[in-house]
Amino acid sequence: MGHTHIDTAALTVHAAAAALRAGRFSSVELVTSLLAAIREGNAGLNAYVWLDEEDALAQARRADAALAAKQPGALLGVPLAVKDNLSVAGQPCGCASRILEGYRAPYDATAIARLRAEGALLVGRTNMDEFAMGSTTETSMHGPSRNPAARDHVAGGSSGGSAAAIAGGLAIGSLGSDTGGSIRQPAAFCGCVGLKPSYGRVSRYGLVAFASSLDQIGPIVKDARDAALLLRVMAGHDPHDATSLGLPVPDYLAHGAGGDLRGVRLGLPREYFADGMDGEVATAVRCAVEVCRGLGARIVEVSLPHTSYAVATYYIVATAEASANLARFDGVRYGRRAAGTMSPREMYCRTRAAGFGSEVKRRILLGTYVLSSGYYDAYYLRALKARTLIRRDFEQAFQCCDALLAPVTPAPAYPFGAGSDDPLQLYLGDIFTATANLAGICALSVPCGRTGAGLPVGLQVLGPAFEEGRILRVASAYE
Ligand code: GLN
C-alpha cells in the first residue's frame, strides 16, 4: 500500500470516486499522493492554512474499509479541501482571523455533514480573506495565497486558498463561500469552475456568517460535472437554516452531461460589456459567446439597467449585516481573549482591537454607520430599494432568455501590490458578481481562456433562482 503514485493535478472528484469504486487505487493511496503534493507545493502557494495528515489518513483507511464492504456513497474516499469559514467538527475554523485563533468547530456544517454522509474526506482548511472580506486573500492573518498561473499575482478572494489548491494540483475538489463573488472571482482568476448556488439552495448552517442575506456555500472544482455532483449532495432543505428551501433537488448530473445548446436563449447584459473592461478579458468572453452560438444557442442582447448601483448597494447591505454578525466575537464565547485583569467592557474592546484586521474593522464601522439613526433611511433603506430594482432587472431579463453570459471580473488577477491596498478600487471589481447575490440567483464561473501573459479568464453564466441545472448545462456544453 502507498506505492502507487497518483497524479492529483488533473484528477476530478467524479473521476476519483469512480476509480476508487473500481479499485484502481485506494483512498489511502490517493490521500498519500495528495499529501505529498501538498507538502511539495503548499509553501509556494499558501493555499492550505491547516492540515492534519494523521487524521486524513485515518479517514482514508475508514473509507477503504467501507469501499471493501461495498458500502454506498457518491464521494466515498474522495478528499476535499474546505474554506476556513466552514465548520468541520473538531477542526479549527479560524476565518483567517486572529480573533478566532485556537477556536475549533464543535459540529459539522450541514453541507459538510452531507458530504461526509456520501463518504467524502475532509482533509484541510484553505486560506481566505479575513471573515471572507476581500478579493485577494491579502487580508488573511496567514498572508496571501499565490496564483498558480502566475505566482506574483493574487489568487483572488475571498476563497483564494480553495481556488489556488485546485488550480495548483493540491486538491481534488474544494468548497468556498460567496457573498459578493468570493467563489466565482477566485475561480476565474485561477482557472477553475466555481458555482454560487441560488440563495436558499444550500444550508448556511455552520458557515460563519458574513452577510446572512447574501452568503452561500458552493464548490470550487475542475469541471462543471464536479460542481453538479457536489451541489447535488449539499443542496436541499435543512431544519437548522430557515432560509434553506424545500424545493426538490434535481439530478444536476443529468443536465451536466455535455451536449449542445440548441433551443437555449442566452442573454448578453449590455451593461456588463461596457467600457473600462480589460481588452483581453472582453475578447476571451466574446469568443466564449461565439462558441455558445456555435453550439446552437440563440444569443440575445438584454439590459440590466441598475447595474451601476450594484457595488454601492452591496457594500451597504453587506457591511450592515457584517456589523451585526461580527458582534458575537467579543472574547467571551469564541477564540482569543485579551489577557489580564480588566472590566468586561475593556476586555471586549481590547479583544476586538487586537483580534480584527483593518479591513474587518473598516466594514464594521461602515456597517454600524449605515444602520445608525439618522443615516438608516439615507443609506440602508435606500440600498434595500436599490436591491429590489436589481432583482427586478434580472426577472425582466430572464423573460427573454434562459441564462445570461457575462464576464466574472473586469480584469484578470492583479499583481501583488498593484492597487490591492486601495479598498475602493477592489470594491469596484465586484461589479459583475455582487449582483447575483443581491438578486438571490445562481451563477457560476467557467474558464474561457487566458490572457497573453497566461492569466486565466472566467466566463460567468447566470441563471434564475433554483435553475442551477440550466447554468450547469451551459457550462458543461461550453467545456
Ligand atoms: N470581494 C467581495 C467583498 O470583499 C466579496 C466577498 C465575498 O463574496 N465573501 O466583500
Side-chain angles (χ1 to χ4, degrees):
M1 288 282 263
H3 289 299
T4 317
H5 179 76
I6 301 144
D7 183 7
T8 49
L11 188 62
T12 58
V13 174
H14 59 83
L20 286 161
R21 192 58 80 182
R24 283 202 289 281
F25 48 73
S26 69
S27 182
V28 167
E29 285 167 334
L30 175 58
V31 168
T32 303
S33 298
L34 183 66
L35 291 175
I38 296 171
R39 239 179 271 129
E40 166 111 13
N42 195 52
L45 294 178
N46 199 24
Y48 286 89
V49 298
W50 182 88
L51 198 67
D52 183 340
E53 297 201 4
E54 279 309 305
D55 179 61
L57 287 166
Q59 291 183 54
R61 279 192 293 272
R62 287 197 293 274
D64 282 333
L67 282 160
K70 302 255 181 291
Q71 283 176 21
L75 303 169
L76 193 48
V78 182
L80 299 177
V82 175
K83 186 177 181 178
D84 196 29
N85 60 352
L86 271 155
S87 302
V88 176
Q91 296 187 3
C93 183
C95 297
S97 179
R98 295 199 187 286
I99 209 161
L100 279 173
E101 261 181 297
Y103 170 73
R104 287 196 180 236
Y107 61 90
D108 277 342
T110 298
I112 296 291
R114 289 184 178 175
L115 293 165
R116 224 198 262 278
E118 291 295 331
L121 322 180
L122 291 316
V123 298
R125 318 273 313 160
T126 56
N127 200 13
M128 57 184 281
D129 283 291
E130 185 178 7
F131 284 104
M133 297 174 184
S135 307
T136 61
T137 69
E138 287 168 295
T139 71
S140 165
M141 68 164 279
H142 307 285
S145 298
R146 294 180 176 276
N147 193 315
R151 294 184 181 223
D152 51 348
H153 286 62
V154 303
S158 64
S159 314
S162 292
I166 291 293
L170 308 186
I172 315 294
S174 77
L175 297 186
S177 67
D178 193 311
T179 305
S182 280
I183 287 175
R184 290 160 285 157
Q185 185 258 32
F189 278 10
C190 293
C192 319
V193 170
L195 185 147
K196 181 204 92 71
S198 314
Y199 188 76
R201 182 51 105 183
V202 174
S203 166
R204 292 177 294 110
Y205 182 70
L207 168 68
V208 178
F210 163 8
S212 308
S213 77
L214 303 163
D215 297 340
Q216 273 290 296
I217 299 166
I220 297 180
V221 286
K222 292 170 191 168
D223 64 13
R225 190 161 163 198
D226 273 3
L229 175 58
L230 294 187
L231 179 64
R232 180 165 164 76
V233 171
M234 292 189 289
H237 177 65
D238 172 18
H240 292 302
D241 176 1
T243 65
S244 71
L245 262 76
L247 293 172
V249 180
D251 183 1
Y252 299 117
L253 289 173
H255 294 278
D260 62 37
L261 292 175
R262 259 175 292 177
V264 180
R265 294 163 307 162
L266 297 175
L268 301 186
R270 195 175 305 141
E271 295 77 5
Y272 284 46
F273 290 86
D275 310 333
M277 197 166 41
D278 176 275
E280 287 182 293
V281 170
T283 305
V285 173
R286 290 206 180 272
C287 284
V289 171
E290 289 317 310
V291 170
C292 293
R293 198 196 300 274
L295 287 164
R298 197 149 68 77
I299 308 294
V300 296
E301 195 175 291
V302 297
S303 176
L304 301 170
H306 297 95
T307 301
S308 56
Y309 301 111
V311 171
T313 304
Y314 168 77
Y315 277 93
I316 291 171
V317 173
T319 57
E321 294 184 21
S323 74
N325 276 324
L326 270 59
R328 76 192 62 176
F329 302 107
D330 54 7
V332 177
R333 285 165 289 185
Y334 311 93
R336 255 163 61 125
R337 175 180 306 172
T341 315
M342 62 193 96
S343 71
R345 191 186 161 79
E346 200 183 342
M347 185 279 286
Y348 179 88
C349 293
R350 281 218 224 154
T351 298
R352 288 168 67 87
F356 289 136
S358 55
E359 182 61 27
V360 172
K361 285 176 184 161
R362 174 168 24 246
R363 295 196 188 202
I364 293 173
L365 288 173
L366 252 173
T368 311
Y369 178 77
V370 300
L371 289 176
S372 57
S373 104
Y375 297 100
Y376 180 95
D377 292 349
Y379 294 106
Y380 186 67
L381 205 60
R382 279 207 160 189
L384 291 186
K385 289 177 180 168
R387 184 177 188 174
T388 301
L389 296 174
I390 289 166
R391 189 173 52 232
R392 282 197 198 137
D393 279 358
F394 281 107
E395 279 164 14
Q396 293 211 317
F398 287 129
Q399 282 182 356
C400 49
C401 63
D402 303 304
L404 300 169
L405 298 181
V408 180
T409 55
Y414 324 107
F416 282 109
S420 48
D421 47 355
D422 176 357
L424 195 60
Q425 212 47 47
L426 280 181
Y427 293 177
L428 290 171
D430 297 332
I431 175 83
F432 302 141
T433 47
T435 48
N437 304 75
L438 289 166
I441 63 173
C442 59
L444 61 76
S445 173
V446 59
C448 70
R450 289 180 184 239
T451 66
L455 296 170
V457 179
L459 169 71
Q460 188 172 197
V461 189
L462 306 96
F466 299 97
E467 295 292 351
E468 284 85 357
R470 239 188 247 180
I471 60 172
L472 284 165
R473 176 182 167 197
V474 174
S476 164
Y478 172 73
E479 283 175 337

